[in-house]
Amino acid sequence: MMNTITNLSPEFSRRRFLGVSGVLVLGASLPVRRALAQTPAGTFEPSLFLAMDGQGTVRVTVHRSEMGQGIRTALTQIVADELDADWSRVEVVQAQGDVKYGDQNTDGSRSITQNYDRLRAAGASARLMLRQAAANRWNVKVDDVAAANHEVVHAASSRRLGYGELATEAGLLPVPENAPLKKESEHRYIGKPVIHVDAGDIARGKGTFGADYAVPNMATAVVIRCPWLGGGVKSIANKPMNEPGLVAIETLDAAPSAGPLFAPLGGVGVVAEDTWTAMRIAQGLDIEWTGSPNQTFNSDELRQALRDAVAKPGTPVPGSEKGDVDAVFAAGGTELSATYETPFLSHAPMEPPVAVADVTEERCVLHAPLQDPQSARPLIAAQAGLTPDKVEVTPTLLGGAFGRKSKPDFALEAVELSKRVKRPVRVQWLREDDIRHDYLHASSAQHHRAVIDDEGKPTAWLQRSAFPSITTVFAAQAVQPAPWELEMGFSNLPYSVENQRMESTGIRPGARVGWLRSVCNIFHAFSANVFADEMASAVGRDSIEHRLALIPASGKLKQPGQPAPPGHELDFGRLRHVIERVRKLSDWDKPRPEGVGLGFAVHHSFRSYVATVLEASMDNGRPSVSNAYVVLDCGTYVNPDTCVAQMEGAVVFGLSLSLYGDISMKDGAVVQSNFHDYPMLRIAEAPATKVELVPSQGRLPAGVGEPGVPPVAPALSNALFAATGTRHRTLPIRT
Amino acid sequence: MGVKLNVNGDVVDVDVSGDTPLLWVLRDHLGLTGTKYGCGGGYCGACTVHLDGAATRSCQLPVSTLQGRAIQTIESLDQRHPALVDTWTNNNVAQCGYCQSGQLMSAAALLDGNPKPTDADIDAAMTGNICRCGTYVRIRAAIHQAAGHQATGSAE
């Protein structure tokens, strides 16, 4: 058994979940190489996600990847709750990448949204089957027996049977459809704070991350990649021979210079008996690279092109135009206009990309921190020269990801090198590799222009956004931003405006662009929230009062283009509610001392609503944030403590990008390389953070991992304006 | 070269080149993978261990300089600081968890020298440890809580 149970009486007062007396702890290691459905005959396995043996040990299979968002715990809570399982008798099994699970892409803050109903059903079906098995044994009606805490009870006769004792008989029953689900009031794990299943292992250094996975006879490789995209190895001047510990030096094919850009970048793989030997030899190599069209790419020129793009008309967003913006602008009035800019960003998860591949002629076994092991599997198979059924892909714990590890390029490097040297190979990216060879968050520019009335309300509002589209990594011809990128805080602006137009422009970059935690919402929320604050301040109005006046009193947003699926629409009432609550939580109306300002921002993304207030000032010429207040409405939530933690983390992640995040490129190469020139927020700069969670109310479970990030940068900019009178329209805000 | 190391109270012999950083000796040669690689430059603190009791970045320590020095890693923390390990667990401090070995080792060294640290003490002692997930507010709270338990001799 891998379960360890600890009796706990932690102080939860800090976390504002008063009234919760107990916290559940479930210890589980990531099982190594354990396949699902290898349970012996006689056990109960009513779904892909749930199995139980004759001892009553429940195994919940988690088919999403853990990267700090608590998904291994939350998905297990859902199944265990409907099963009415004793939490101490539940183990977690990490699923391999396999189409049988349906979508396994841990991305878009949607793991709970997509799996809440099906995992509840899995637990509920199993509970009904166990009740039926007991009823059959006792020859009573199923309605007369109840399940409770790993037992089935017949109250009338005071008989009871443990789940384990019923496993074999339950396993012979058909799986019922539409088994009754619990009422929200009956939930024992869903909606309750639960200690993460890996928390105990992590605090003891025992969590298995990508680089911690090891197999016998494994070699370690460090790969040197061309500084510019699309370049390959021309020559290696000083290839060492007979270096102790060196296994092989392998030349890897160059990536294409334009999309699709999911293949490894190519370069020189130095395979050695240990990591330091590989690093040392790799650093000493003198490699000449071939050219590429991307070698002339400079981020300064891109930034200028983006500014130029939003200074002139772009492509109108279909269906976005209302009234006649140009007529209002021509008629005159109080006009405001501003241009906002954001740079490239790197994901920089604390765990740099890493993968362990063991390729033989018959099989390929891969362990790596992958966000989507399922979509990686056919690519890994192709790289290994095998069919996908010969390939096993198992996610380890992800030491942070933020979107980076949805691309399996680093795993494919390990596969190729293992195939070449005929040994298991771990490919270890160095931090410098990670910063220089990322799929960068796009640099962008936005231009806003409005005519406002005496109350600061826009009578006409023109918005432009320009950025390199993520679709450029999918196709060489792609240029224009995709509708889904614009629906991240641009085309779905929730404000009432009679005359409105939205235009976008795409520019192809000489770099790989990818999605970083909350994606285009970062720059769209920044510009829209700061511009709204500018409208309010132009007429001397309170920013929250002003914002509430812009948002309709009730109803749902009708966004341009495809309507949002039911339950996913932006609900004005919910948006207003988080604003009202953050106003109270932050004591918004209480005056702050001279030089201290409050800044407000609100954003709807990934189906959730987040309102954020930051308290900031300037300290020795640098912005300093003393307090953060966040209200989250994510609909139905599973683990409230995780939701709070994600908001706390989002404040820090958002402040890192607001204060420091800036990747530049020169001659096709990323200039920065490590945390000295791509800094992160450190503990002394982290504000005290208060988070409130809006109760579930039976609503669609919405996203939690990403939606806390977008309001942070604009709230900071607005707070600094309140503190100093200086407007910051470009990120990062350094002074 | 052969080096005799004292790791978590055990004396072990390793045969590596003398410039090998302790980090890679721990991870690749001793199977102590709790100590993490984060940057290789001493910027992030993921590789923090105790060297003669002081929090030290193991990626910056050539193994040839460590003969006779006492090295403690995260794997020994449960014995030495059970309250800290439990507090970290019970407060759900970790998110992804990758930096947390280093955070815990810095926190343990702080408490060893300062049983009742203030917020400012914590900020000073923990400033070398980056957490990309942003668990800083819980780290601060957990250190205070663990300090309280240590002071009263209780470990939850």
Side-chain angles (χ1 to χ4, degrees), chain A residues 8-9 15 194-196 204 211-212 274-275 347 350 430-431 641 645-646 648-649 674 681-683, chain B residues 19 21 27-29 36-39 43 78 90-92 95-96 98 127 132-133 136-138 140 156:
Chain A
L8 299 166
S9 53
R15 298 200 210 149
V194 172
I195 300 298
H196 286 188
R204 291 168 177 82
D212 305 333
D274 65 13
T275 315
H347 297 79
M350 289 314 295
L430 308 182
R431 176 59 60 196
D641 192 49
Q646 287 299 302
E648 292 166 352
N674 208 319
L681 205 77
R682 292 178 185 266
I683 191 167
Chain B
D19 63 348
R27 293 189 54 83
D28 287 357
H29 298 272
K36 306 301 184 195
Y37 165 75
C39 71
Y43 310 116
D78 211 5
N90 301 340
N91 286 282
N92 261 336
Q95 290 186 28
C96 87
Y98 192 81
T127 195
R132 184 71 164 128
C133 299
Y136 297 129
V137 292
R138 290 194 186 211
R140 210 179 276 145
E156 278 178 343

Side-chain angles (χ1 to χ4, degrees), chain A residues 30-52:
Chain A
L30 278 172
V32 168
R33 289 169 185 263
R34 180 194 285 164
L36 183 78
Q38 286 180 346
T39 43
T43 60
F44 178 41
E45 195 170 336
S47 101
L48 276 174
F49 302 103
L50 168 58
M52 189 168 69

